[in-house]
């Protein structure tokens, strides 16, 4: 009985709503280039072609190359949409609303319109009284409305101001509430995408003849005739392929080419970058000569790093060119598509790698030690129907040392907008992160001969390996007989250095993580969107250590398309650390500390201050701001505490500046991260979990910039819990200075 009541009260109204949402409102008259549509019931976008129907709630997206024309069925009002645009149709009994996320739309609204017509952006509403006008909206909160005919009333939703827009005028509406109307310059107006689409008179005559032939058979009402005109326009899209062999309308061919490539000058297929400058590798400052071309053809992208390093003596560093495998290091990336596409893949450098809601892996980068350490990773995924998969490999080179960080994600969309996900992440052997140049199994920091694979120990430090040193302890007495004629005569005995840590001779120390999650977008509009989710994570370490992390409630929201807010309530237990695989994971994955002349190899979980059997609870909050296409800023804070007083706190921040409006500055970016620490705001006393950096470019001349790329990393080499400048190697400064040429 209760089920029937639930079905009657909830399910039936839901289904009725879906039926109403399926109302056909318009048809596609023309579509050229990259044009896609997503119906309300669909998860992904699909290609949109002329002749297709448009329904209430549909979202149309036009890529960087393309345009389309929409004709409404009832009053024959027209929308012409230019490239790089996205909007949604919203219909009520009395109102027709076009929700524009971003882009350029020319609206030709008939005076005898059947419904009130308005265009909404994240910051503005334009009410139309039968007119023709342009709407140009960008993602940063700037709207421009250009009046061509009639009158438009523009309302700024931030300040509540109204302005009337007439022919020959432009109204500017901003996310800070400004609303200004001024005369419009003709040069400012976007080009009408249909201006170059006039068909030859012969084709128009053919259409009229075809209409006359069809009319006697069906004798349609006037409205149906108008719809047939739309269908005839639709056939124009199909004529070039089918009728060119018969009638050879040569005039059509150049028009099609022009439409498919409206702005070819924006970006060429090849961007030739070059660099001159200095870089520090293994403590040595090298001059570098680099050629970094980027090649893009459609969804295919290739980036190369063809570089030579020259030491102060003028010698070329051969380590980058002396082995066949070095070829792979010259590939920065090879990519197809982008994350979010039905299929994408990227090989090489990886940035900001996150799976699901980030409980296990969040913001991972395999380039933190570039160019000293070059890692080659992989990230790819695909969607098929209601299912989706994603694969991640941090560094293929780790497999040669018996390890490697890998992960995957699986998603399922059972119904409506609900998405269920499952993640798995594993570091097969954390020890594989230790640097071992000569590949003898002994890490470089523990190897007295890091470039000679046959030897690793030199007790007396005389440069002669113990295996071949007659006097291993350096006391002047023979203690190692390489020759049967030599007798050991060390009266005090011999105390040798212990055998060093050997990756090949110790058990692998792995980390295995599992996660399940569920997310549902509760509300979405140009003004506000809200997504709710929940997540459960498990981390398993060596020595039977494990922990659980729960997010029973999580939410992220977007306000006006330029403010993002996230919040999570978290519950952790035992040896779980949120976002264990973070941006700095390769840096603190495994470390070697020198405590009382005893070198100790420790992994990340061994150094974390996690109470065995303890339970913690707390919150995570984050905010991001994109301001007027000038500044992008973000920050996050986590505070977790237990009943015993143990705390885990994290803080991250980043700032990026759009330098297009700043003279002489070609790029500007800074970041800071300190995770799972007691006091992440103690900037004067950093921890091994602390990383910071910046990248600033100064434009010397057009196309030529001097770029500073700085990163500061930290390591507790003596194990005293304090990062000190007095201990060599605890503060790691990586500075690349280069002159960059952009073509």
């Amino acid at each position: 009985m209760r089920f029937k009541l639930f079905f009657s009260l909830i399910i039936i109204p839901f289904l009725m709503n879906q039926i109403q949402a399926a109302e056909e409102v318009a048809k596609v008259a023309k579509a050229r280039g990259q044009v896609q549509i997503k119906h309300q019931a669909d998860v992904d976008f699909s290609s949109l072609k002329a002749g297709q129907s448009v329904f209430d709630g549909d979202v149309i997206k036009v890529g960087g190359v393309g345009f389309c024309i929409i004709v409404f069925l009832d009053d024959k009002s027209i929308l012409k949409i230019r490239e790089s645009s996205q909007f949604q149709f919203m219909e009520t009994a009395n109102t027709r609303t076009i929700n524009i996320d971003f882009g350029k739309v020319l609206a030709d609204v008939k005076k005898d319109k059947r419904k009130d017509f308005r265009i909404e952006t994240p910051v503005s509403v334009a009410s139309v009284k039968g007119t023709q006008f342009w709407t140009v909206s960008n993602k940063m909160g700037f709207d421009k409305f250009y009046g061509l005919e009639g009158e438009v009333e523009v309302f700024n939703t931030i300040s509540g101001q109204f302005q009337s827009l007439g022919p020959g005028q432009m109204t500017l509406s901003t996310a800070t509430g400004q609303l200004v109307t001024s005369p419009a310059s003709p040069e400012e107006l976007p080009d009408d995408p249909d201006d170059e689409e006039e068909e030859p008179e012969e084709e128009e005559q053919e259409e009229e003849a075809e209409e006359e032939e069809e009319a006697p058979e069906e004798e349609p009402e006037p409205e149906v005739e108008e719809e047939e005109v739309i269908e005839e326009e639709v056939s124009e899209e199909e004529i070039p392929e089918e009728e060119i062999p018969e009638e050879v309308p040569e005039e059509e061919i150049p028009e099609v080419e022009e439409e498919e490539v409206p702005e070819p000058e924006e970006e060429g297929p090849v961007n030739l970058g070059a660099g001159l400058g200095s870089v520090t590798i293994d403590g040595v400052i090298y001059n570098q000569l680099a050629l970094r071309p980027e090649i893009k053809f459609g969804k295919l992208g290739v980036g190369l790093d063809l570089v030579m390093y020259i030491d102060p003596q003028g010698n070329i560093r051969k380590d980058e060119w002396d082995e066949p495998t070095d070829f792979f290091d010259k590939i920065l990336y090879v990519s197809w598509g982008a994350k979010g596409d039905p299929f994408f893949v990227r090989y090489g450098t990886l940035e900001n790698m996150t799976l699901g809601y980030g409980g296990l892996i969040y913001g991972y980068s395999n380039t933190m030690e570039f160019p000293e350490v070059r890692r080659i990773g992989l990230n790819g995924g695909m969607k098929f129907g209601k299912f989706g998969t994603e694969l991640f490999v941090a560094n293929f080179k780790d497999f040669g040392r018996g390890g490697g960080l890998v992960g995957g994600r699986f998603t399922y969309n059972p119904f409506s907008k609900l998405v269920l996900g499952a993640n798995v992440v594993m570091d097969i052997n954390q020890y594989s992160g230790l640097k071992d140049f000569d590949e003898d199994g002994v890490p470089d920091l523990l190897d007295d001969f890091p470039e000679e694979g046959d030897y690793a120990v030199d007790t007396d430090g005389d440069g002669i390996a113990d295996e071949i040193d007659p006097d291993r302890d350096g006391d002047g007495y023979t203690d190692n007989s390489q020759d049967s004629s030599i007798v050991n005569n060390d009266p005090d005995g011999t105390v040798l250095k212990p055998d060093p840590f050997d990756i090949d001779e110790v058990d692998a120390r792995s980390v295995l993580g599992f996660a399940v999650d569920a997310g549902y977008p509760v509300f979405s509009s140009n003004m506000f969107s809200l997504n709710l989710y929940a997540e459960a994570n498990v981390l398993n370490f060596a020595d039977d250590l494990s922990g659980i992390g729960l997010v029973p409630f999580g939410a992220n929201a977007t306000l006006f398309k330029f403010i993002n807010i996230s919040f999570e309530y978290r519950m952790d237990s035992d040896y779980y650390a949120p976002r264990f695989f973070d941006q700095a994971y390769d840096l603190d994955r495994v470390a070697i500390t020198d405590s009382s002349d005893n070198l100790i190899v420790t992994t990340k979980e061994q150094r974390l201050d996690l109470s065995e059997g303890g339970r913690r609870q707390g919150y995570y909050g984050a905010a991001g701001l994109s301001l007027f296409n000038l500044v992008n800023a973000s920050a996050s804070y986590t505070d977790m505490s237990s009943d015993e007083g143990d705390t885990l706190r994290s803080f991250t921040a980043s700032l990026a500046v759009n330098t297009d409006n700043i003279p002489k500055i070609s790029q500007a970016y800074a970041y800071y991260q300190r995770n799972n620490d007691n006091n992440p705001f103690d900037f004067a006393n950093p921890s091994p979990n602390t990383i910071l950096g910046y990248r600033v470019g100064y434009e010397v001349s057009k196309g030529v910039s001097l770029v500073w790329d700085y990163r500061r990393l930290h390591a507790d080499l003596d194990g005293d819990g304090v990062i000190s400048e007095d201990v060599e190697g605890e503060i790691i400064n990586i500075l690349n200075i280069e002159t960059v040429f952009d073509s």
Side-chain angles (χ1 to χ4, degrees):
M1 181 67 183
R2 291 182 178 177
F3 175 79
K4 291 182 178 179
L5 182 62
F6 173 82
F7 186 88
S8 301
L9 296 178
I10 304 298
I11 303 300
I12 292 179
F14 174 80
L15 293 176
M16 293 298 296
N17 181 66
Q18 296 300 308
I19 293 172
Q20 293 175 358
E23 177 188 359
E24 184 181 12
V25 297
K27 282 210 181 268
V28 181
K30 295 182 181 181
R32 297 270 174 97
Q34 304 165 354
V35 184
Q36 294 179 303
I37 189 170
K38 182 167 75 72
H39 304 298
Q40 270 192 318
D42 295 341
V43 177
D44 301 318
F45 283 88
S46 59
S47 294
L48 180 65
K49 299 180 180 179
Q52 285 187 223
S53 298
V54 179
F55 299 89
D56 179 24
D58 285 356
V59 179
I60 289 181
K61 178 169 64 175
V62 181
V65 176
F67 82 94
C68 72
I69 299 176
I70 308 295
V71 180
F72 290 94
L73 298 179
D74 52 5
D75 61 6
K76 307 306 174 206
S77 294
I78 299 173
L79 295 180
K80 298 180 180 181
I81 303 96
R82 286 201 64 91
E83 71 282 350
S84 303
S85 300
Q86 181 169 310
F87 63 95
Q88 183 179 26
F89 295 86
M90 301 295 291
E91 296 274 330
T92 65
N94 302 312
T95 305
R96 170 167 293 148
T97 303
I98 309 299
N99 283 330
I100 298 179
D101 294 329
F102 53 86
K104 304 174 184 177
V105 176
L106 174 61
D108 187 357
V109 184
K110 305 304 181 184
K111 293 182 179 180
D112 60 343
K113 62 185 186 300
R114 312 295 172 86
K115 299 180 178 181
D116 290 334
F117 189 100
R118 63 185 187 183
I119 286 184
E120 292 188 7
T121 75
V123 298
S124 313
V125 177
S127 301
V128 181
K129 305 189 183 295
T131 188
Q132 191 178 70
F133 70 105
W134 275 103
T135 300
V136 179
S137 179
N138 65 25
K139 299 178 181 180
M140 300 300 120
F142 278 96
D143 296 334
K144 292 182 179 180
F145 301 91
Y146 298 92
L148 302 180
E149 297 178 1
E151 183 181 352
V152 182
E153 192 172 71
V154 181
F155 172 68
N156 185 284
T157 57
I158 308 300
S159 62
Q161 297 184 55
F162 287 89
Q163 290 278 359
S164 291
L165 173 69
Q169 293 182 319
M170 185 274 291
T171 296
L172 173 66
S173 180
T174 72
T176 56
Q178 289 91 349
L179 194 66
V180 180
T181 298
S182 63
S185 171
E187 293 79 15
E188 295 182 45
L189 292 175
D191 295 329
D192 188 337
D194 203 32
D195 284 347
E196 301 176 357
E197 284 295 304
E198 295 183 9
E199 305 294 337
E201 294 182 4
E202 303 170 305
E203 292 188 16
E204 294 179 1
Q205 292 172 2
E206 284 181 18
E207 293 173 6
E208 292 174 3
E210 292 175 5
E211 290 174 12
E212 290 177 29
E213 290 177 6
E214 293 177 3
E217 293 180 10
E218 302 194 13
E219 296 186 353
E221 298 178 3
E223 276 193 11
V224 178
E225 280 186 9
E226 292 178 65
E227 289 188 27
E228 285 187 55
V229 173
I230 297 172
E231 297 294 338
E232 293 299 322
E233 292 183 12
V234 170
S235 68
E236 294 175 11
E237 303 298 322
E238 303 171 356
I239 285 174
E241 294 181 1
E242 299 177 6
E243 296 191 3
I244 283 178
E246 299 177 6
E247 302 187 13
V248 194
E250 297 179 356
E251 300 94 344
E252 248 188 293
I253 299 175
E255 290 186 13
V256 173
E257 291 177 350
E258 290 175 6
E259 293 297 341
E260 291 182 349
V261 192
E263 296 182 8
E265 70 279 3
E266 282 188 7
E267 185 177 352
V270 179
N271 180 31
L272 184 60
L276 301 171
S278 63
V279 62
T280 302
I281 302 176
D282 295 330
V284 180
I285 298 177
Y286 293 87
N287 293 313
Q288 68 168 344
L289 301 174
L291 185 66
R292 298 191 178 97
E294 288 189 85
I295 306 168
K296 294 184 179 180
F297 293 101
K299 291 188 175 184
L300 176 64
V302 178
L304 303 178
D305 184 30
L306 310 177
V307 61
M308 289 191 301
Y309 299 114
I310 304 172
D311 65 19
Q313 288 74 44
N315 302 311
I316 297 176
R317 179 181 161 100
K318 299 179 180 179
D319 296 337
E320 282 73 30
W321 300 93
D322 58 352
E323 296 182 12
T325 55
D326 290 337
F327 167 78
F328 296 100
D329 287 337
K330 306 302 178 287
I331 303 174
L332 279 178
Y333 70 89
V334 177
S335 66
W336 179 272
K339 199 167 183 176
D341 291 345
F343 174 78
F344 76 96
V345 64
R346 182 181 176 96
Y347 168 88
T349 59
L350 303 178
E351 299 284 354
N352 196 30
M353 180 63 219
T354 299
L355 287 180
Y357 295 99
L360 296 176
I361 180 168
Y362 182 86
Y364 171 81
S365 169
N366 67 0
T367 63
M368 293 307 299
E369 298 174 282
F370 183 90
E372 183 174 356
V373 179
R374 295 173 179 261
R375 297 181 174 92
I376 302 173
L378 177 73
N379 181 216
M382 65 176 62
K383 297 178 182 178
F384 40 96
K386 295 184 176 183
F387 300 92
T389 59
E390 186 174 354
L391 175 67
F392 158 70
V393 179
N395 185 20
F396 285 102
K397 297 179 180 180
D398 281 353
F399 294 122
R401 298 187 286 267
L405 175 62
V406 297
R409 176 170 174 79
F410 175 82
T411 60
Y412 174 57
N413 175 225
F415 60 87
S416 186
K417 299 177 181 179
L418 177 67
V419 177
L420 306 178
N423 305 325
V424 58
V425 182
M426 184 177 187
D427 190 343
I428 302 171
N429 186 6
Q430 297 174 83
Y431 294 143
S432 65
L434 293 168
K435 300 174 186 177
D436 181 17
F437 181 81
D438 56 12
E439 298 182 350
D440 62 353
V442 180
D444 291 347
L445 289 176
L446 303 178
D447 197 338
D448 293 332
F449 303 92
E451 298 183 3
E452 298 182 27
D454 296 331
Y455 308 114
V457 181
D458 180 14
T459 296
D460 57 5
D462 61 355
I464 304 174
D466 282 4
E467 291 86 344
I468 59 176
D469 190 354
D471 181 13
R472 293 173 293 179
D473 58 2
D475 61 356
Y477 296 95
T478 301
D479 56 27
N480 188 13
S481 297
Q482 286 87 36
D483 189 328
S484 59
S485 63
I486 301 176
V487 180
N488 291 342
N489 60 2
D490 193 339
D492 301 323
T494 305
V495 180
L496 302 177
K497 291 175 66 174
D499 291 335
F501 180 91
D502 192 329
I503 301 174
D504 301 328
E505 297 181 1
V506 299
D507 294 333
R509 194 173 182 92
S510 63
V511 184
L512 179 61
F514 299 96
V516 292
D517 56 68
Y520 189 86
V522 178
F523 183 78
S524 179
S525 73
N526 285 331
M527 299 289 294
F528 176 74
S529 64
L530 176 65
N531 181 65
L532 300 180
Y533 61 90
E535 184 181 37
N537 303 278
V538 178
L539 276 175
N540 294 299
F541 303 100
D543 304 325
D544 296 325
L545 303 177
S546 63
I548 299 175
L550 298 177
V551 180
F553 173 80
N556 50 51
T558 301
L559 304 175
F560 312 118
K561 296 292 185 180
F562 63 91
I563 299 176
N564 298 299
I565 302 173
S566 299
F567 176 83
E568 292 180 2
Y569 175 71
R570 294 177 173 179
M571 303 168 64
D572 302 342
S573 67
D574 301 330
Y575 284 84
Y576 174 80
R579 302 177 173 180
F580 185 82
F581 307 99
D582 58 12
Q583 183 182 13
Y585 181 69
D586 284 327
L587 306 176
D588 55 11
R589 177 185 186 187
V590 60
I592 298 175
T593 58
D594 186 356
S595 180
S596 301
D597 296 326
N598 185 25
L599 295 175
I600 302 173
V601 179
T602 58
T603 56
K604 179 175 181 176
E605 87 277 359
Q606 292 175 319
R607 298 189 303 276
L608 288 176
D609 185 17
L610 300 172
S611 356
E612 190 172 358
R615 297 187 176 185
R616 299 169 298 278
Q617 59 184 355
Y619 64 89
Y620 160 83
L625 173 66
S626 182
L627 190 61
F628 309 136
N629 200 25
L630 298 176
V631 176
N632 290 288
S634 65
S636 68
Y637 178 68
T638 306
D639 192 320
M640 304 291 295
S641 60
S642 68
D643 295 336
E644 291 77 20
D646 299 312
T647 59
L648 282 179
R649 299 186 178 97
S650 301
F651 175 70
T652 65
S654 67
L655 177 67
V657 179
N658 183 353
T659 59
D660 293 343
N661 302 313
I662 304 177
K664 295 298 198 180
I665 302 298
S666 58
Q667 49 186 292
Y669 174 69
Y671 56 91
Y672 175 88
Q673 174 183 295
R674 188 166 178 173
N675 288 337
N676 299 314
D677 213 327
N678 289 325
N679 183 9
F681 299 106
D682 187 6
F683 302 114
N685 298 292
S687 71
N689 303 327
T690 306
I691 62 172
L692 57 93
Y694 64 82
R695 185 175 176 88
V696 177
Y698 178 78
E699 191 175 47
V700 180
S701 61
K702 188 175 181 179
V704 182
S705 295
L706 187 64
V707 178
W708 288 263
D709 187 356
Y710 173 76
R711 281 161 285 168
R712 180 168 176 171
L713 318 174
H714 305 84
D716 186 12
L717 298 182
D718 58 7
D720 64 353
V722 178
I723 304 297
S724 173
E725 295 182 353
D726 299 330
V727 181
E728 185 179 358
E730 290 202 337
I731 296 179
I732 307 164
N733 294 302
I734 301 175
L735 176 63
N736 298 333
I737 304 174
E738 61 180 2
T739 303
V740 178
F741 303 86
D742 292 321
S743 65

